[in-house]
Amino acid sequence: MATVLSEKQIAQLKRRVKETPHPREMVLDVLHAIQDANGWVSDEGVELAAIILGLSPLQVEEIATFYDKIYRCPVGRKVIHVCDSICCWSRGGEALMLRLQQLLGIAPGETTADGMFTLLPTCCLGACGEAPAVRIGKTLYGQVALEQLESILDSERTEVAS
Amino acid sequence: MRTCEPLLFKNRRAGQTVFLEGYRKTGGYRGLQKALQDMTPASVREEVKASGLRGRGGAGFPTGVKWSFFPSDNAGEKYLVCNGDEMEPGTFKDRQLLLADPHHLLEGVIISCYALGIGTAYIFLRDAYRQCAANLERAIAEAEEAGLLGDNILGSGFCCEVHVHRSAGRYICGEETALLNSLEGLRPNPRSKPPFPAVKGLFGKPTALNNIETLANIPHIITGGAAWYKGLALTEQGAGTKLYGLAGHLETPCCVELPLGMPLGELIRDFGGGVWQNRSFKACLPGGASTPYLTAEHMDVALDYEPLEQVGTRLGTGGVVVFDDRTCMVAVTLNLLRFFARESCGWCTPCRDGLPLVCWLLERLERGEGSREDLAMLREQLLHINGRSFCALALGAMGPVDGLLRHFAEELEDHVRLGRCPFQA
C-alpha cells in the first residue's frame, strides 16, 4: 500500500478520518489524495482508501466509479477535458476536439504514446461565458481558438519537463 | 441602457479577488453585525420572507417560505448546506461571484445560520471550481481570525463553523438530496421525499439547502431592508437583482448583475452585444439547459419567474444561451439531451432508458433518417418521462424537447420531409 501513498500520508489521512465525526464524508478527500499522488486510482488505491476509511472496497468502488473526475484507469501526465456542452458546442467546441485529435494523434479516451496527454470529452466546465473551453490538468483555458492549441500543448509539455 | 447599483458584483474587478479588507471597505459584514446585535433570529427570517427573495439555484422557491418549514427554534444538531454544484450548461454565475468576492457568500452563510439556529455549514463545490474553493478557504480563515466566524461571533455568543466540500464532477449532485448523499460519502442518487431535508437531511438531521447566489443576497436584505430589496426588481411581483449569464451566439458573452425582470431583448442587445456576426436571433434557453426555448416573439418578456412561466418556460438559473438564425434547433436539442442522458445517475428507468431513447430519436431526425412515427414517438416521450422519474433531472431534460416541439415543429417536419438537416449543405 505504501506504493500508493507514503506511510506519512496514510497516517495523516487516518488521523483526519479519526477526527471527523462522520468518517465516510471524507471518501472523496481520500480518493483525491490518492489520485493527486498517482495520477489515477488503481484497485490497490481503492483498497487503501477502504482501509483508511474503515469501509469495504466495494463501498469505495461505488463512489470512485460514479464521478467522472476520479480516474479508475491509468491516464497521461495531464488529462485534457474538452467541454462538449451547449455553450462550447455553439462556439466551436467540436472543432477543438477534432483538432486536438489531429495534433495528438489519438481518439477521445486514449493516451498519447509518450504518456503525456489523455483526451476526454467532458460536461460543462462552468466557463460558458468564455466558450469554447478546455481544461488541461488543473488549468482552464477559455475562448480557445484553433490556432492556439498547438502552443498551449507545447507550454503544457514544457511545464511537465521543467 | 438600463443598469442598477450592483449588490453581489459591487466588488467585482477583472482578474481580481477581493478578500476581507476590501470587502469590509464597501460595507462587508455590516449585515452580520446588524443581525447579531439588533435582530433576533426570528426577525431575520421575517425580513427574508418579506423581501420576496426566491431561490436562485433554478427552482425559484421563496427562500423565506422554505426557511419557515425549518425547525429553527428546536434544540439539537442542524445543518446549512450551500449548493455550489452549478453544473448545468449555461450557468456560471456562482463561479463569477466566488472568483470576485468569496466573503459575500460567507457573510450570507453566517447570517443564515444565525437565523436558522444552525452551528455548522457546508459549502458544496463542483470539481471544476478549484480556485473558488481556494478563495473560500482563505475567506473562512480570514473570517475566523477576525472573530466573524467560529466561537462567540462578534461577542454575540453565537457560534458557527463553515466547511468547504469539493465534489468530483457529476451534475446529479446539484439535486439537493443527491448532494446530501454525496456529502455523506454515499453514492449520490437522489433520496425519496418525504422526509424533506428540512426534517431529515444531512447525517439524518434537519438541513437547510440554499444556492450560492441566494445566500449572497441575505446580507443586503438585512442591511437595506425587505422593502428596499423588493423594490430593486423591475417587475411588481419580482424582488432584488439577478446574476444573468449570457452565452452562445453573442458578441460579448458575460455575466452581469441587473434588476430582476430585465426584458430579454434589452439584455441581449445592451449586455450581450447583440447576436454575433450580424446574424439574427433565432432562439435562446432563458435559464440554463433545462428550460424550454424562447423565440424572437419573446423579446419583450421580462426575465422573472412569473412572466416566463406565462410563456411556458422558466427563469431557472438565469443562464441565457442564445442561438443565431443558422442554428439547427434539432442539433441544439440533441446536444442538450446527450448531456442529460450522460449525467443521469441511472437510478430510475424513465431517466436511464428514456433519455437515451430521446437522443436516439433526435439523432435519427438530425441525420435525415427520421420518420413521422419518430416524431410521434418523440412527442410521446414527454408523457412517458415527465412526472414519472424519481427526481427532476429527467423533467428538466425534457424542457428543451418540449420547447422544440412547441416552437420548432416545422423545422422538425422539414428534417423528415427533406430527408436531411436543412441547415447542412
Side-chain angles (χ1 to χ4, degrees):
Chain A
M1 295 298 178
T3 57
V4 177
L5 291 177
S6 69
E7 293 297 345
K8 190 179 168 189
Q9 286 172 311
I10 294 170
Q12 278 174 345
L13 285 169
K14 279 185 175 172
R15 190 165 56 249
R16 281 182 59 202
V17 166
K18 201 175 171 186
E19 288 166 357
T20 306
H22 307 280
R24 193 169 178 153
E25 76 175 80
M26 278 195 60
V27 61
L28 279 177
D29 296 75
V30 173
L31 289 171
H32 276 305
I34 290 169
Q35 185 159 287
D36 286 347
N38 300 272
W40 65 297
V41 179
S42 61
D43 289 347
E44 204 183 8
V46 168
E47 286 166 23
L48 175 61
I51 291 167
I52 290 170
L53 292 154
L55 299 171
S56 71
L58 184 62
Q59 286 171 313
V60 175
E61 177 75 339
E62 69 175 1
I63 304 302
T65 54
F66 192 86
Y67 295 95
D68 72 344
K69 301 300 185 299
I70 298 291
Y71 312 126
R72 283 288 281 117
C73 292
V75 290
R77 301 282 293 275
K78 300 216 170 185
V79 178
I80 304 177
H81 288 284
V82 185
C83 178
D84 61 7
S85 302
I86 193 68
C87 300
C88 290
W89 175 88
S90 70
R91 297 182 77 98
E94 284 184 337
L96 285 187
M97 178 55 110
L98 287 172
R99 182 70 182 135
L100 281 165
Q101 290 179 62
Q102 287 172 351
L103 289 170
L104 299 170
I106 56 173
E110 293 180 348
T111 299
T112 51
D114 62 0
M116 183 64 73
F117 296 113
T118 296
L119 184 62
L120 292 174
T122 193
C123 292
C124 185
L125 289 169
C128 314
E130 302 153 66
V134 172
R135 192 174 106 180
I136 304 181
K138 292 178 181 173
T139 307
L140 179 75
Y141 294 91
Q143 295 178 323
V144 182
L146 286 176
E147 312 77 65
Q148 288 176 284
L149 281 174
E150 208 160 352
S151 65
I152 289 173
L153 292 177
D154 285 344
S155 68
E156 289 286 343
R157 277 194 195 94
T158 308
E159 189 199 292
V160 170
S162 61
Chain B
M1 185 191 287
R2 217 186 299 240
T3 56
C4 73
E5 190 68 34
L7 308 181
L8 278 54
F9 277 175
K10 67 179 174 182
N11 294 322
R12 192 180 184 216
R13 308 282 180 273
Q16 291 179 28
T17 305
V18 164
F19 286 99
L20 186 59
E21 194 186 339
Y23 183 61
R24 286 189 117 166
K25 271 185 188 162
T26 57
Y29 287 107
R30 279 191 206 147
L32 177 64
Q33 195 168 355
K34 182 179 175 187
L36 293 180
Q37 292 174 355
D38 305 336
M39 298 171 80
T40 63
S43 62
V44 173
R45 297 198 298 270
E46 277 310 308
E47 201 69 25
V48 171
K49 194 172 186 180
S51 75
L53 173 67
R54 293 178 63 163
R56 305 298 199 223
F61 197 78
T63 305
V65 176
K66 191 175 187 178
W67 282 8
S68 69
F69 303 141
F70 192 78
S72 311
D73 299 324
N74 293 4
E77 222 171 333
K78 299 187 284 275
Y79 296 101
L80 175 78
V81 173
C82 174
N83 187 345
D85 196 56
E86 192 172 57
M87 269 192 70
E88 184 152 311
T91 307
F92 55 105
K93 63 189 178 64
D94 295 337
R95 174 170 172 255
Q96 299 297 320
L97 178 64
L98 294 179
L99 289 177
D101 196 358
H103 277 282
H104 227 116
L105 169 63
L106 197 54
E107 186 181 1
V109 167
I110 303 166
I111 296 172
S112 302
C113 284
Y114 172 69
L116 297 169
I118 292 169
T120 307
Y122 285 87
I123 299 173
F124 185 100
L125 292 179
R126 56 178 295 193
D127 176 79
Y129 289 3
R130 288 167 189 234
Q131 187 56 48
C132 298
N135 288 355
L136 268 171
E137 273 158 5
R138 175 172 162 184
I140 287 167
E142 287 180 337
E144 284 173 344
E145 179 72 24
L148 299 160
L149 187 59
D151 291 335
N152 192 23
I153 297 172
L154 294 173
S156 67
F158 173 61
C159 306
C160 180
E161 58 184 52
V162 178
H163 306 284
V164 175
H165 177 94
R166 265 185 56 210
S167 185
R170 280 306 293 271
Y171 172 68
I172 192 64
C173 294
E175 200 280 336
E176 61 178 13
T177 58
L179 185 151
L180 294 177
N181 273 347
S182 181
L183 255 177
E184 288 186 19
L186 301 169
R187 194 172 192 271
N189 296 118
R191 296 177 182 175
S192 179
K193 291 188 279 192
F196 288 91
V199 176
K200 189 179 177 186
L202 190 64
F203 308 123
K205 304 295 180 188
T207 302
L209 277 134
N210 293 107
N211 164 259
I212 286 177
E213 185 187 351
T214 311
L215 292 173
N217 272 288
I218 304 292
H220 299 287
I221 293 169
I222 299 306
T223 50
W228 166 80
Y229 181 81
K230 192 162 188 346
L232 294 173
L234 294 177
T235 50
E236 203 172 312
Q237 65 276 57
T241 63
K242 180 79 192 80
L243 304 183
Y244 292 107
L246 286 162
H249 295 154
L250 292 169
E251 283 296 344
T252 53
C254 59
C255 184
V256 284
E257 181 176 11
L258 291 164
L260 187 66
M262 275 294 289
L264 175 65
E266 283 185 44
L267 188 72
I268 289 171
R269 184 191 65 223
D270 296 343
F271 298 93
V275 180
W276 70 348
Q277 299 169 7
N278 290 319
R279 294 183 195 167
S280 304
F281 175 92
K282 180 173 185 180
C284 75
L285 294 158
S290 61
T291 53
Y293 305 114
L294 291 176
T295 63
E297 67 176 296
H298 298 119
M299 282 297 167
D300 296 329
V301 172
L303 293 171
D304 188 4
Y305 300 93
E306 285 88 354
L308 286 171
E309 280 161 21
Q310 282 166 15
V311 294
T313 187
R314 296 185 300 111
L315 178 65
T317 58
V320 179
V321 186
V322 170
F323 305 106
D324 69 22
D325 53 348
R326 297 189 194 178
T327 309
C328 171
M329 295 310 290
V330 178
V332 169
T333 311
L334 174 57
N335 176 283
L336 292 165
L337 265 290
R338 281 178 175 153
F339 166 81
F340 287 112
R342 187 164 64 184
E343 287 301 301
S344 168
C345 73
W347 185 254
C348 64
T349 312
C351 193
R352 181 188 61 242
D353 291 349
L355 298 184
L357 173 63
V358 174
C359 283
W360 182 78
L361 289 166
L362 290 168
E363 280 163 7
R364 278 173 60 81
L365 289 159
E366 181 60 2
R367 283 199 307 265
E369 296 166 5
S371 63
R372 297 209 184 284
E373 288 73 28
D374 291 329
L375 284 178
M377 195 185 286
L378 185 64
R379 198 165 280 111
E380 271 179 28
Q381 297 319 305
L382 286 174
L383 302 173
H384 293 318
I385 295 174
N386 281 358
R388 292 173 188 267
S389 57
F390 195 73
C391 79
L393 186 145
L395 177 68
M398 294 305 282
V401 179
D402 174 34
L404 180 73
L405 289 162
R406 273 194 289 129
H407 297 301
F408 299 100
E410 204 174 318
E411 196 166 306
L412 273 163
E413 293 277 352
D414 284 348
H415 280 74
V416 175
R417 185 174 52 81
L418 297 170
R420 64 176 174 82
C421 172
F423 293 88
Q424 284 177 7

